[in-house]
């Protein structure tokens, strides 16, 4: 037997029952984003590798070990499957001069790729919704983006998602904190792990982000950035908190929240659920004022966040959201040559009126077709045999009677079947 080919490890198929659920989720996402005046942007999945090295930083988990990078065999160009969306979005904004006239609120959804160890809530191909505001100095926009999250959890019927907040200050403040950190960790270098020792001089801030339990006590005693912050950074942080307090949005300040990407400054935040185990962060973001310039654009402030779609869907499912087939309105049953030709025309005519139709293909007896019609979950069967075809009529049979609606089939003319169906659907919706 020919061996089967399987999907790549950590890259999942999303089958129809599940995919319909995803589409409903995406509709909620789109209308939520519209309600905050965000506009869509569609970006390539493959970008030049130097984009990510420059944007995310060389000494990060993503760039060091998680990127799917390859050389284009046709022209030798180094390319990478995008591990996140911000870098590509900023690249596009610069390339097309999008913020020359006015600031922009932008969003995208799609696949990201990271070579991680697959486990629940962590995949090698996963989906993110990314939300970016470019050209706004804040802190009003930072706070708006945070409150957007709260509204979405509400729209999705989710609770138990808590907000963590921190500030990373500005580069000069971080530089002072960094030298404090290096001397602190140098004094305790025997307690560091390999990663920690490797990062001691290249990226000591990332040691604070370590998940190694053996390091936690050391990390707790480390010097804090907040002690290095100047008046402006403190005012920005206070400005964000003020809006959150005014909105009654609870938050926890977590000084250890530093985020895995280099490009952040000032505000950083994460939304964390207590129901997903170790992979509890469903949304993460913050300000990245330096990135536009770092990628060759005219300096511009910016702020954004990304949500992990698989993790959110898992939460919705856990809260009782059901996946499953979405039934059509009408199943068309037909037999005989003339009948089948009429049936095909009737099906298109119904679709002209906005009615969803499943046209039976593959023949079979009336009885077996009716069984499939029942199982399809359709509201009506439209049945056409020789008899109906000769009379220019169809038999309309309600399959899903509710309330007063009699479960009786009737003959109606081909021209009136759409109206009959529409008015029954309206009656059902009213009752
Ligand atoms: P983590 O600490 O869990 O690795 P991260 O800091 O690498 O997360 P971000 O780069 O901030 O994650 O991505 C934003 C969101 O995307 C995360 O909060 C998470 O919900 C989701 N996400 C990140 N990596 C994965 C993955 N490998 N599989 C599924 N979702 C992911
Ligand atoms: Mg990660």
């Amino acid at each position: 037997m020919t061996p089967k080919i399987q999907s790549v490890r950590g890259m999942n198929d999303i089958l129809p029952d599940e995919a319909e659920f995803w589409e409903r989720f995406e509709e909620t996402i789109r209308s939520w984003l519209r309600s905050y005046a965000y506009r869509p942007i569609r970006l390539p999945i493959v970008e030049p590798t130097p984009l990510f090295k420059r944007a995310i930083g060389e000494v990060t988990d993503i760039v060091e070990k998680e990127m799917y990078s390859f050389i284009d065999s046709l022209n030798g160009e180094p390319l990478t499957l995008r591990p996140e969306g911000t870098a590509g979005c900023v690249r596009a904004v610069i390339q097309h001069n999008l913020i020359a006239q006015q600031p922009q609120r932008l969003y995208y959804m799609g696949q990201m790729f990271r070579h991680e160890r697959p486990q629940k809530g962590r995949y090698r191909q996963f989906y993110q919704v990314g939300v970016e505001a470019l050209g706004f100095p804040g802190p009003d926009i930072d706070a708006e983006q945070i409150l957007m999250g709260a509204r979405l959890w509400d729209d999705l019927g989710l609770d138990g998602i808590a907000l963590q907040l921190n500030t990373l200050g500005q580069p000069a403040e971080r530089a002072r904190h960094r030298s404090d950190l290096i001397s602190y960790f140098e004094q305790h270098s025997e307690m560091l792990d390999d990663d920690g020792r490797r990062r001691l001089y290249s990226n000591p801030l990332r040691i604070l982000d370590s998940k190694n339990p053996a390091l936690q006590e050391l990390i707790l005693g480390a010097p804090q950035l907040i002690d290095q912050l100047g008046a402006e950074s403190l005012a920005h942080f206070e400005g964000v908190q003020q809006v959150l307090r005014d909105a009654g949005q609870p938050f926890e300040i977590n000084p250890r929240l530093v985020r895995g990407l280099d490009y952040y400054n000032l505000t950083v935040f994460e939304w964390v659920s207590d129901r997903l185990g170790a992979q509890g962060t469903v949304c993460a973001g913050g300000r990245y004022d330096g990135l536009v310039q770092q990628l060759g654009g005219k300096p511009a402030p910016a702020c954004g966040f990304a949500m992990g779609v698989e993790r959110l869907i898992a939460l919705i499912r856990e809260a009782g959201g059901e996946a499953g087939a979405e039934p059509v309105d009408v199943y068309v049953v037909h037999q005989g040559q003339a009948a089948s030709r009429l049936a095909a025309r009737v099906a298109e005519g119904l679709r002209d009126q906005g009615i969803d139709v499943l046209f039976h293909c593959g023949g079979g007896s009336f009885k077996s077709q009716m069984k499939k019609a029942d199982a399809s979950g359709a509201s009506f069967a439209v049945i056409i045999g020789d008899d109906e075809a000769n009379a220019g009529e169809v038999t309309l049979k309600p399959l899903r009677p509710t309330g007063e609606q009699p479960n009786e089939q009737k003959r109606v003319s081909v021209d009136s079947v759409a109206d009959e169906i529409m008015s029954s659907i309206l009656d059902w919706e009213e009752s």
Side-chain angles (χ1 to χ4, degrees):
M1 227 171 67
T2 316
K4 290 186 208 132
I5 296 177
Q6 304 281 335
S7 61
V8 176
R9 185 165 131 81
M11 304 201 182
N12 302 315
D13 300 312
I14 298 160
L15 303 179
D17 277 353
E18 195 67 22
E20 282 176 343
F21 192 84
W22 279 57
E23 293 201 345
R24 290 199 290 278
F25 170 83
E26 287 162 6
E27 280 159 24
T28 307
I29 294 288
R30 290 201 172 92
S31 78
W32 161 71
L33 285 162
R34 269 196 301 275
S35 80
Y36 284 91
Y38 277 79
R39 300 180 67 201
I41 184 165
R42 294 187 179 230
L43 303 160
I45 284 178
V46 178
E47 295 276 2
T49 302
L51 172 68
F52 299 114
K53 291 196 172 165
R54 231 205 279 174
I56 300 171
E58 298 266 3
V59 194
T60 56
D61 281 349
I62 293 182
V63 172
E64 279 183 341
K65 52 191 184 202
E66 294 177 359
M67 294 207 302
Y68 283 90
S69 296
F70 57 99
I71 301 294
D72 183 329
S73 61
L74 296 180
N75 63 6
E77 193 182 1
L79 301 176
T80 294
L81 300 186
R82 63 184 183 193
E84 54 93 56
T86 303
C89 183
V90 170
R91 190 231 0 102
V93 162
I94 297 169
Q95 185 171 335
H96 304 284
N97 222 359
L98 279 191
I99 48 174
Q101 309 303 329
Q102 54 178 13
Q104 297 277 347
R105 286 175 163 92
L106 303 172
Y107 77 89
Y108 46 85
M109 332 188 188
Q111 286 98 327
M112 305 295 159
F113 300 84
R114 296 184 194 176
H115 202 281
E116 308 197 63
R117 192 170 68 77
Q119 52 197 291
K120 185 172 178 285
R122 192 176 291 288
Y123 310 101
R124 290 182 175 173
Q125 175 186 264
F126 60 99
Y127 286 73
Q128 280 185 345
V129 176
V131 177
E132 319 281 359
L134 296 113
F136 299 93
D140 46 1
I141 193 88
D142 312 31
E144 184 185 86
Q145 288 194 337
I146 293 170
L147 292 175
M148 283 174 79
R151 178 176 301 278
L152 181 63
W153 317 145
D154 208 49
D155 290 352
L156 294 171
L158 297 176
D159 49 28
I161 303 181
L163 174 60
Q164 300 206 344
L165 191 64
N166 191 22
T167 180
L168 300 181
Q170 298 292 10
E173 295 157 346
R174 275 158 86 171
R176 286 200 295 275
H177 179 229
R178 188 188 137 102
S179 41
D180 286 358
L181 273 182
I182 292 179
S183 24
Y184 172 80
F185 286 127
E186 271 176 341
Q187 281 158 32
H188 302 88
S189 65
E190 75 291 346
M191 291 167 74
L192 288 176
D193 58 8
D194 286 349
D195 259 354
R197 264 188 290 274
R198 199 163 44 83
R199 285 175 167 161
L200 177 52
Y201 299 103
S202 58
N203 197 348
L205 204 71
R206 291 282 285 116
I207 302 177
L208 300 178
D209 204 20
S210 164
K211 289 175 178 115
N212 182 352
L215 258 61
Q216 298 313 304
E217 201 178 324
L218 184 65
I219 290 169
L220 268 176
Q224 302 226 343
L225 174 69
I226 195 112
D227 300 322
Q228 295 292 352
L229 293 186
E232 262 187 59
S233 293
L234 287 170
H236 189 105
F237 196 33
E238 179 49 36
V240 175
Q241 293 176 58
Q242 185 63 56
V243 181
L244 297 180
R245 282 195 292 267
D246 288 349
Q249 171 60 53
F251 57 88
E252 182 198 335
I253 294 181
N254 175 0
R256 296 189 41 202
L257 184 66
V258 296
R259 310 284 307 112
L261 294 72
D262 272 1
Y263 51 57
Y264 288 106
N265 69 316
L266 293 174
T267 316
V268 286
F269 61 92
E270 287 192 0
W271 289 96
V272 186
S273 165
D274 51 6
R275 293 183 201 150
L276 291 171
Q279 269 61 252
T281 303
V282 291
C283 175
R287 185 157 276 286
Y288 51 92
D289 293 331
L291 186 59
V292 176
Q293 183 176 27
Q294 198 174 312
L295 293 180
K298 259 183 37 202
C303 184
F305 61 93
M307 303 186 296
V309 174
E310 286 83 355
R311 295 183 193 180
L312 280 173
I313 298 251
L315 276 183
I316 301 168
R317 295 298 290 279
E318 199 233 23
E322 299 264 339
E326 279 196 19
V328 292
D329 301 315
V330 171
Y331 195 107
V332 176
V333 169
H334 54 94
Q335 198 179 47
Q337 215 172 33
S340 295
R341 288 173 63 188
L342 177 61
R345 275 186 11 239
V346 167
E348 286 300 329
L350 293 175
R351 294 185 188 112
D352 285 342
Q353 304 302 313
I355 296 168
D356 298 339
V357 180
L358 198 162
F359 181 78
H360 180 84
C361 287
S365 67
F366 273 122
K367 196 170 159 213
S368 78
Q369 291 190 38
M370 281 308 297
K371 258 197 187 150
K372 293 197 170 111
D374 269 325
S376 75
S379 306
F380 297 92
V382 165
I383 305 162
I384 307 178
D386 289 338
D387 213 29
E388 284 90 349
N390 287 332
E393 293 179 342
V394 312
T395 297
L396 182 62
K397 182 177 193 320
L399 298 175
R400 208 191 50 176
T402 52
E404 311 279 289
Q405 187 71 23
N407 187 18
E408 266 174 28
Q409 61 182 53
K410 57 180 170 186
R411 289 274 285 256
V412 299
S413 76
V414 162
D415 293 335
S416 64
V417 58
D419 287 346
E420 287 279 341
I421 290 170
M422 293 301 269
S423 65
S424 297
I425 290 176
L426 288 178
D427 283 354
W428 287 357
E429 278 171 4
E430 272 164 27
S431 65

